[in-house]
């Protein structure tokens, strides 16, 4: 996997850009902007579903979703650039692995929201939501908070390869 990711980075020019003087700082800044867009949208919407700012109808907040999607896409693109330019520092990193697990949880949670809760939320106006929908909002906030924490911890774990027994 390391060879594949590194080869992809070399082939696409990502490696050269990321190892230039401004490559990493530019991509890190874009990653942060994407994170702000994503979590600014998701966080506000989740907090509203939990009962904060009760005077704001959910449908108005749902109009912010395209900003969150744009932030997510920015983060996927920049995250791929980080991963492929130094794959050995990510694939074997327990903070990165944990971040990916929480991203999976956030994705499953988002699918469950749009599959089972969205229509109810859209029709709720400013009415309180059932506990099952509040649970989805709480899981979302916890997952995205954990993603942020794990993302920050990646730089503090420059692991030896033997930390990841299943990565060989």
């Amino acid at each position: 996997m390391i060879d594949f990711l590194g080869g992809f980075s070399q082939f696409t020019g990502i490696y050269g850009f990321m190892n230039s003087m401004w490559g990493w700082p530019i991509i890190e800044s874009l990653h942060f902007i994407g994170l702000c867009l994503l979590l600014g949208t998701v966080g506000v919407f989740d907090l509203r579903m939990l009962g904060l700012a009760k005077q704001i109808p959910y449908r108005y907040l749902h109009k912010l979703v395209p900003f969150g999607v744009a932030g997510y896409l920015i983060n996927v693109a920049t995250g791929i650039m980080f991963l492929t330019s130094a794959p050995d520092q990510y694939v074997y990193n327990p903070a990165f692995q944990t971040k990916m697990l929480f991203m999976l949880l956030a994705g499953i949670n988002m699918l469950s929201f749009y599959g089972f809760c969205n229509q109810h939320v859209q029709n709720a106006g400013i009415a309180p939501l059932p506990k099952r929908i509040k649970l989805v909002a709480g899981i979302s906030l916890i997952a995205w908070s954990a993603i942020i924490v794990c993302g920050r911890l990646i730089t503090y774990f420059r692991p030896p390869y033997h930390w990841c027994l299943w990565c060989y």
Side-chain angles (χ1 to χ4, degrees):
M1 179 180 278
I2 299 295
D3 292 336
F4 171 77
L5 293 170
F8 174 81
S9 183
Q10 291 284 345
F11 177 76
T12 59
I14 291 171
Y15 183 84
F17 176 73
M18 291 298 285
N19 286 287
S20 68
M21 186 165 101
W22 290 102
W24 201 277
I26 288 169
I27 299 307
E28 188 76 46
S29 298
L30 287 173
H31 200 71
F32 184 74
I33 290 167
L35 184 66
C36 290
L37 288 169
L38 173 61
L39 294 181
T41 301
V42 171
V44 167
F45 198 77
D46 287 342
L47 289 171
R48 174 60 190 101
M49 289 194 303
L50 288 170
L52 274 68
K54 294 177 183 177
Q55 70 280 10
I56 301 172
Y58 300 103
R59 69 179 180 277
Y60 293 148
L61 290 176
H62 201 265
K63 292 179 181 183
L64 297 173
V65 168
F67 293 101
V69 170
Y72 181 78
L73 293 175
I74 290 168
N75 278 5
V76 167
T78 56
I80 289 170
M81 293 177 81
F82 293 134
L83 173 63
T84 61
S85 64
D88 59 330
Q89 294 299 309
Y90 288 90
V91 171
Y92 301 112
N93 192 314
F96 177 75
Q97 295 166 357
T98 306
K99 179 179 178 174
M100 293 298 104
L101 285 174
F102 277 108
M103 286 185 70
L104 177 63
L105 174 63
I108 292 168
N109 192 58
M110 183 266 311
L111 290 174
S112 71
F113 172 79
Y114 280 102
F116 305 110
C117 306
N118 183 47
Q119 196 59 44
H120 184 90
V121 171
Q122 293 296 318
N123 295 331
I126 59 171
L129 297 172
K131 289 189 186 320
R132 68 180 171 84
I133 294 176
K134 289 183 179 188
L135 177 64
V136 168
I139 290 170
S140 176
L141 285 174
I142 290 167
W144 285 108
S145 296
I147 290 165
I148 293 170
V149 169
C150 290
R152 292 304 310 137
L153 289 175
I154 288 170
T155 59
Y156 298 104
F157 287 99
R158 295 295 183 202
Y161 299 110
H162 65 270
W163 283 15
C164 180
L165 300 177
W166 57 88
C167 295
Y168 296 102

